[in-house]
Amino acid sequence: MKRRFKASLTVLLAVLFVTGCSSRIGDFTTVSTKNVNMNAEYQKVGSTEGSDGAVLIGQPDLKTAVDNALENAGSDTRYLTNARIIGTSYPFYSKITVEGDAWKPVSGADAEGEVYRLEKTKKG
C-alpha cells in the first residue's frame, strides 16, 4: 500500500512540475518599442512571435518580448498590429509571448501590395 501511495505521489508531483497555466494578458491594436515615423509608409511583413522568460525568481520582461517579436520579423520592422500578449506560468518558469502582424517602412518604389500610412486623428 505504501508503494502505491509513493508511486501515485511521484506521478502527481511530476505532473504538477510539467503543467503550466496560460492566460491572455491583453490584445492591442498597435504595439512597438521603437520610434515610429508617423509620416512614413508601411507594409505588412507577415505574422511574428517573440517571447521572454524567467527562471525561479524574477519576471519576464514585456519590452524584451516585443523587441524579440520585432526582430524575428526582420531588423527593419517598426511595429506590430493585432498584437496578443500571453502569459504562461510553470512552477519554476514564467514566460510572456507576443504575437502579431509586423510592419516595416517602405518607399513607393520598394512597395509590393498594399501600403499604409499611420495618421494622427483629432483625438490623438
Side-chain angles (χ1 to χ4, degrees):
M1 184 73 166
K2 285 184 179 182
R3 248 185 208 171
R4 275 193 203 159
F5 178 75
K6 283 184 179 181
S8 297
L9 184 60
T10 303
V11 169
L12 178 63
L13 289 174
V15 168
L16 288 175
F17 281 114
V18 296
T19 58
C21 178
S22 290
S23 63
R24 190 172 227 151
I25 295 172
D27 296 320
F28 296 91
T29 303
T30 305
V31 172
S32 185
T33 56
K34 298 182 178 186
N35 292 329
V36 177
N37 180 353
M38 297 296 282
N39 296 319
E41 293 181 333
Y42 293 89
Q43 183 173 24
K44 184 164 41 170
V45 177
S47 295
T48 186
E49 181 180 306
S51 63
D52 185 51
V55 178
L56 290 179
I57 57 173
Q59 288 187 318
D61 184 37
L62 178 58
K63 181 191 181 309
T64 302
V66 172
D67 284 341
N68 290 340
L70 291 169
E71 190 63 34
N72 289 341
S75 60
D76 54 349
T77 304
R78 291 289 175 252
Y79 66 93
L80 304 175
T81 59
N82 303 318
R84 293 163 302 286
I85 314 295
I86 300 164
T88 306
S89 295
Y90 298 95
F92 297 106
Y93 180 74
S94 58
K95 176 172 84 168
I96 290 179
T97 303
V98 177
E99 304 169 344
D101 298 326
W103 294 79
K104 71 175 184 175
V106 294
S107 65
D110 296 333
E112 295 177 13
E114 295 182 76
V115 175
Y116 295 90
R117 181 186 306 264
L118 297 173
E119 291 187 9
K120 198 169 193 175
T121 64
K122 291 179 184 178
K123 294 182 180 181

